[in-house]
Amino acid sequence: MGERMNNNEKIINILEKEYKDARCALNFTTPFELLIATMLSAQTTDLTVNKATEILFKKYNTPEDFRRLDNKELEKYIKICGLYKTKAKNIIEASKKIVTDYDGKVPSTLEELIKLPGVGRKTANVVLSNAFNKDAIAVDTHVYRVSNRLGLSNSKDVNETEEQLMKNIPKEKWSNAHHWLIWHGRKICSAKNPKCSICPLNHICKYYNEIKENN
DNA sequence: AACTCGGGGCA
DNA sequence: TGCCCAGAGTT
Protein backbone atom coordinates (compact mmCIF):
# COMPACT_ATOMS: atom_id res chain seq x y z
CA MET A 1 0.00 0.00 0.00
CA GLY A 2 1.06 3.58 -0.43
CA GLU A 3 1.80 4.60 3.13
CA ARG A 4 5.26 3.93 4.46
CA MET A 5 5.63 2.52 7.93
CA ASN A 6 7.11 4.95 10.39
CA ASN A 7 10.09 4.04 12.54
CA ASN A 8 8.04 3.20 15.61
CA GLU A 9 5.98 0.67 13.72
CA LYS A 10 9.10 -0.89 12.25
CA ILE A 11 10.70 -1.16 15.68
CA ILE A 12 7.63 -2.81 17.20
CA ASN A 13 7.33 -5.26 14.33
CA ILE A 14 10.96 -6.32 14.62
CA LEU A 15 10.72 -6.63 18.40
CA GLU A 16 7.61 -8.75 18.09
CA LYS A 17 9.21 -11.04 15.54
CA GLU A 18 12.47 -11.30 17.45
CA TYR A 19 10.93 -11.94 20.88
CA LYS A 20 7.83 -13.85 19.82
CA ASP A 21 8.13 -16.24 22.75
CA ALA A 22 9.01 -13.66 25.39
CA ARG A 23 6.86 -14.03 28.48
CA CYS A 24 6.97 -12.74 32.00
CA ALA A 25 10.05 -14.48 33.37
CA LEU A 26 8.81 -14.57 36.95
CA ASN A 27 7.23 -17.68 38.46
CA PHE A 28 3.58 -17.18 39.29
CA THR A 29 0.20 -18.85 39.02
CA THR A 30 -2.00 -16.20 40.66
CA PRO A 31 -2.08 -12.37 40.78
CA PHE A 32 -0.92 -12.53 44.38
CA GLU A 33 2.07 -14.69 43.53
CA LEU A 34 3.03 -12.31 40.74
CA LEU A 35 2.75 -9.39 43.12
CA ILE A 36 5.10 -11.04 45.61
CA ALA A 37 7.55 -12.18 42.94
CA THR A 38 7.66 -8.68 41.48
CA MET A 39 8.17 -7.09 44.89
CA LEU A 40 11.09 -9.47 45.39
CA SER A 41 12.61 -8.66 42.02
CA ALA A 42 13.83 -5.19 42.97
CA GLN A 43 17.57 -4.87 42.43
CA THR A 44 18.09 -8.54 41.65
CA THR A 45 17.43 -10.93 38.77
CA ASP A 46 14.53 -13.18 37.83
CA LEU A 47 16.76 -16.25 38.33
CA THR A 48 17.26 -15.38 41.97
CA VAL A 49 13.58 -14.56 42.49
CA ASN A 50 12.47 -17.81 40.88
CA LYS A 51 14.87 -19.79 43.02
CA ALA A 52 13.37 -18.26 46.16
CA THR A 53 9.71 -18.41 45.16
CA GLU A 54 9.93 -21.98 43.94
CA ILE A 55 10.39 -23.06 47.54
CA LEU A 56 8.44 -20.25 49.19
CA PHE A 57 5.21 -20.69 47.20
CA LYS A 58 5.03 -24.39 47.98
CA LYS A 59 4.44 -23.47 51.60
CA TYR A 60 2.85 -20.04 51.42
CA ASN A 61 0.93 -18.64 48.45
CA THR A 62 -2.06 -16.58 49.62
CA PRO A 63 -2.47 -13.23 51.41
CA GLU A 64 -3.92 -15.21 54.32
CA ASP A 65 -0.70 -17.23 54.56
CA PHE A 66 1.60 -14.25 54.30
CA ARG A 67 -0.16 -11.90 56.69
CA ARG A 68 0.42 -14.37 59.53
CA LEU A 69 4.10 -14.93 58.75
CA ASP A 70 6.78 -13.94 61.18
CA ASN A 71 9.34 -11.62 59.62
CA LYS A 72 12.20 -13.98 60.42
CA GLU A 73 10.42 -16.90 58.80
CA LEU A 74 9.85 -14.99 55.55
CA GLU A 75 13.37 -13.56 55.58
CA LYS A 76 14.73 -17.08 55.65
CA TYR A 77 13.19 -17.80 52.23
CA ILE A 78 13.89 -14.51 50.51
CA LYS A 79 17.33 -13.68 51.87
CA ILE A 80 18.98 -14.63 48.58
CA CYS A 81 17.05 -11.85 46.82
CA GLY A 82 18.79 -9.13 48.77
CA LEU A 83 17.21 -6.11 50.52
CA TYR A 84 15.39 -8.85 52.34
CA LYS A 85 14.40 -7.16 55.58
CA THR A 86 12.59 -4.34 53.82
CA LYS A 87 11.01 -6.73 51.35
CA ALA A 88 9.81 -9.12 54.07
CA LYS A 89 8.27 -6.29 56.06
CA ASN A 90 6.53 -4.81 53.01
CA ILE A 91 5.24 -8.17 51.80
CA ILE A 92 3.70 -8.99 55.16
CA GLU A 93 2.17 -5.53 55.54
CA ALA A 94 0.83 -5.58 51.99
CA SER A 95 -0.73 -8.98 52.63
CA LYS A 96 -2.46 -7.67 55.74
CA LYS A 97 -3.87 -4.75 53.78
CA ILE A 98 -5.09 -7.01 50.97
CA VAL A 99 -6.97 -9.15 53.48
CA THR A 100 -8.46 -6.29 55.49
CA ASP A 101 -9.13 -3.74 52.74
CA TYR A 102 -9.70 -5.87 49.66
CA ASP A 103 -11.30 -9.05 50.95
CA GLY A 104 -8.15 -11.08 50.32
CA LYS A 105 -8.00 -10.25 46.62
CA VAL A 106 -5.19 -8.30 44.96
CA PRO A 107 -6.68 -4.99 43.80
CA SER A 108 -6.72 -4.44 40.06
CA THR A 109 -6.29 -0.70 39.72
CA LEU A 110 -3.10 1.33 39.70
CA GLU A 111 -4.35 3.68 42.41
CA GLU A 112 -5.04 0.83 44.82
CA LEU A 113 -1.93 -1.17 44.03
CA ILE A 114 0.52 1.65 44.63
CA LYS A 115 -1.00 2.21 48.06
CA LEU A 116 0.32 -1.19 49.11
CA PRO A 117 3.60 -0.84 51.02
CA GLY A 118 6.58 -1.69 48.81
CA VAL A 119 4.56 -1.42 45.61
CA GLY A 120 5.48 1.37 43.21
CA ARG A 121 4.46 2.17 39.68
CA LYS A 122 6.59 -0.48 38.08
CA THR A 123 5.40 -3.35 40.24
CA ALA A 124 1.79 -2.19 39.96
CA ASN A 125 1.96 -2.07 36.18
CA VAL A 126 3.54 -5.52 35.96
CA VAL A 127 0.63 -6.95 37.96
CA LEU A 128 -1.96 -5.00 35.97
CA SER A 129 -0.65 -6.06 32.59
CA ASN A 130 0.37 -9.62 33.38
CA ALA A 131 -2.11 -10.81 35.98
CA PHE A 132 -5.18 -8.77 35.08
CA ASN A 133 -4.73 -8.18 31.36
CA LYS A 134 -5.17 -4.45 31.82
CA ASP A 135 -3.82 -1.80 29.50
CA ALA A 136 -0.54 -0.86 31.13
CA ILE A 137 3.14 -0.73 30.30
CA ALA A 138 5.59 -1.40 33.09
CA VAL A 139 8.68 0.75 32.84
CA ASP A 140 11.73 -0.63 34.57
CA THR A 141 15.38 0.20 34.03
CA HIS A 142 15.53 -1.96 30.90
CA VAL A 143 12.42 -0.54 29.28
CA TYR A 144 13.50 2.99 30.13
CA ARG A 145 16.99 2.56 28.67
CA VAL A 146 16.05 0.52 25.61
CA SER A 147 13.05 2.56 24.51
CA ASN A 148 14.99 5.79 24.88
CA ARG A 149 17.85 4.39 22.84
CA LEU A 150 15.59 3.10 20.10
CA GLY A 151 13.67 6.35 19.94
CA LEU A 152 10.38 4.79 21.06
CA SER A 153 10.55 7.29 23.87
CA ASN A 154 12.60 10.33 24.72
CA SER A 155 12.08 11.05 28.38
CA LYS A 156 13.71 11.66 31.72
CA ASP A 157 11.24 9.92 33.99
CA VAL A 158 9.07 6.84 34.23
CA ASN A 159 5.74 8.62 33.94
CA GLU A 160 6.70 10.32 30.74
CA THR A 161 8.14 7.09 29.34
CA GLU A 162 4.86 5.28 29.96
CA GLU A 163 2.86 7.96 28.19
CA GLN A 164 5.16 8.05 25.20
CA LEU A 165 5.23 4.28 24.85
CA MET A 166 1.44 4.11 24.96
CA LYS A 167 1.35 6.69 22.23
CA ASN A 168 3.98 5.03 20.08
CA ILE A 169 2.94 1.39 20.49
CA PRO A 170 -0.40 0.01 19.22
CA LYS A 171 -2.70 -0.75 22.13
CA GLU A 172 -3.11 -4.42 21.33
CA LYS A 173 0.63 -4.86 21.80
CA TRP A 174 1.04 -3.07 25.12
CA SER A 175 0.78 -6.22 27.20
CA ASN A 176 3.72 -7.82 25.42
CA ALA A 177 5.79 -4.80 24.50
CA HIS A 178 7.49 -4.43 27.85
CA HIS A 179 8.57 -8.08 27.78
CA TRP A 180 10.11 -7.61 24.36
CA LEU A 181 11.93 -4.50 25.58
CA ILE A 182 13.13 -6.20 28.76
CA TRP A 183 14.42 -9.26 26.95
CA HIS A 184 16.11 -7.11 24.37
CA GLY A 185 17.67 -5.05 27.14
CA ARG A 186 19.13 -8.10 28.80
CA LYS A 187 20.27 -10.00 25.75
CA ILE A 188 21.55 -7.23 23.51
CA CYS A 189 20.81 -3.67 24.55
CA SER A 190 22.60 -3.87 27.90
CA ALA A 191 23.42 -0.79 29.94
CA LYS A 192 27.13 -1.25 29.40
CA ASN A 193 28.71 -2.48 26.20
CA PRO A 194 25.51 -3.07 24.24
CA LYS A 195 25.95 -5.57 21.42
CA CYS A 196 24.94 -3.18 18.68
CA SER A 197 26.79 -5.13 16.00
CA ILE A 198 24.43 -8.09 16.32
CA CYS A 199 21.31 -6.08 17.11
CA PRO A 200 18.46 -6.67 14.66
CA LEU A 201 17.32 -3.09 15.25
CA ASN A 202 20.58 -1.27 14.76
CA HIS A 203 19.68 0.06 11.30
CA ILE A 204 16.81 2.09 12.74
CA CYS A 205 18.17 2.73 16.23
CA LYS A 206 18.61 6.35 17.25
CA TYR A 207 21.38 5.53 19.72
CA TYR A 208 23.34 3.39 17.26
CA ASN A 209 23.15 6.04 14.57
CA GLU A 210 24.39 8.69 17.00
CA ILE A 211 27.31 6.48 18.00
CA LYS A 212 28.22 5.91 14.37
CA GLU A 213 28.15 9.60 13.58
CA ASN A 214 30.49 10.38 16.44
CA ASN A 215 33.11 7.89 15.27
C1' DA B 1 18.31 14.75 44.35
C1' DA B 2 20.76 11.80 47.31
C1' DC B 3 20.73 8.00 50.36
C1' DT B 4 19.59 3.35 52.00
C1' DC B 5 18.53 -1.38 51.80
C1' DG B 6 21.92 -6.37 50.43
C1' DG B 7 22.94 -11.25 49.07
C1' DG B 8 24.19 -13.59 44.90
C1' DG B 9 26.27 -13.96 40.27
C1' DC B 10 29.83 -13.16 37.42
C1' DA B 11 34.22 -11.17 35.41
C1' DT C 1 37.66 -8.53 44.98
C1' DG C 2 34.62 -5.30 42.83
C1' DC C 3 30.69 -4.24 40.34
C1' DC C 4 26.01 -4.83 38.98
C1' DC C 5 21.25 -6.42 39.40
C1' DA C 6 12.82 -6.71 36.90
C1' DG C 7 12.78 -0.53 42.85
C1' DA C 8 10.74 1.89 46.48
C1' DG C 9 10.67 4.73 50.66
C1' DT C 10 12.65 8.33 53.43
C1' DT C 11 15.10 12.62 54.26
Side-chain angles (χ1 to χ4, degrees):
Chain A
M1 310 296 288
E3 205 165 333
R4 287 171 56 94
M5 271 195 285
N6 66 35
N7 258 10
N8 290 337
E9 292 176 86
K10 288 184 195 167
I11 290 169
I12 298 305
N13 287 344
I14 295 172
L15 282 171
E16 178 170 23
K17 197 164 133 192
E18 204 68 27
Y19 300 102
K20 198 80 190 163
D21 299 321
R23 296 280 182 279
C24 182
L26 299 174
N27 278 339
F28 75 100
T29 59
T30 64
F32 181 73
E33 283 190 1
L34 179 59
L35 174 66
I36 302 306
T38 310
M39 290 174 80
L40 288 175
S41 72
Q43 295 302 101
T44 185
T45 65
D46 54 338
L47 280 82
T48 309
V49 174
N50 286 342
K51 203 182 288 183
T53 56
E54 192 177 350
I55 302 168
L56 177 65
F57 289 162
K58 273 182 190 153
K59 240 183 141 169
Y60 312 105
N61 55 18
T62 66
E64 280 292 344
D65 295 338
F66 277 81
R67 72 160 175 164
R68 297 173 201 285
L69 275 181
D70 178 68
N71 288 55
K72 297 289 176 200
E73 168 73 359
L74 182 53
E75 288 173 11
K76 196 172 70 186
Y77 289 89
I78 68 171
K79 195 161 194 170
I80 61 170
C81 298
L83 312 178
Y84 61 94
K85 284 182 183 168
T86 318
K87 287 176 181 175
K89 183 167 178 260
N90 284 334
I91 287 171
I92 291 170
E93 290 306 312
S95 300
K96 287 179 185 170
K97 193 167 168 63
I98 290 171
V99 170
T100 58
D101 292 4
Y102 303 109
D103 193 29
K105 296 185 186 89
V106 179
S108 57
T109 67
L110 181 64
E111 295 71 34
E112 292 170 316
L113 281 165
I114 60 178
K115 280 185 199 155
L116 298 172
V119 178
R121 250 191 122 74
K122 180 258 173 177
T123 299
N125 278 323
V126 167
V127 171
L128 287 175
S129 63
N130 287 297
F132 294 121
N133 244 347
K134 298 258 178 155
D135 295 328
I137 295 184
V139 176
D140 60 24
T141 53
H142 291 305
V143 173
Y144 175 73
R145 179 187 67 254
V146 174
S147 61
N148 269 350
R149 279 183 181 166
L150 286 171
L152 276 178
S153 62
N154 179 16
S155 59
K156 294 196 304 282
D157 67 55
V158 171
N159 260 320
E160 203 183 352
T161 309
E162 276 181 34
E163 285 176 27
Q164 293 178 358
L165 288 179
M166 291 192 191
K167 202 161 63 182
N168 291 333
I169 297 173
K171 193 171 185 176
E172 68 271 15
K173 297 182 179 174
W174 287 359
S175 60
N176 287 320
H178 71 267
H179 293 308
W180 303 337
L181 291 167
I182 287 170
W183 281 53
H184 188 59
R186 295 181 64 171
K187 295 171 72 145
I188 293 174
C189 196
S190 44
K192 288 190 173 173
N193 304 319
K195 304 180 179 69
C196 296
S197 61
I198 62 162
C199 178
L201 291 147
N202 60 13
H203 59 292
I204 47 176
C205 177
K206 192 179 115 200
Y207 174 81
Y208 182 64
N209 285 320
E210 285 168 2
I211 297 289
K212 275 203 311 190
E213 281 176 23
N214 293 334
N215 284 344

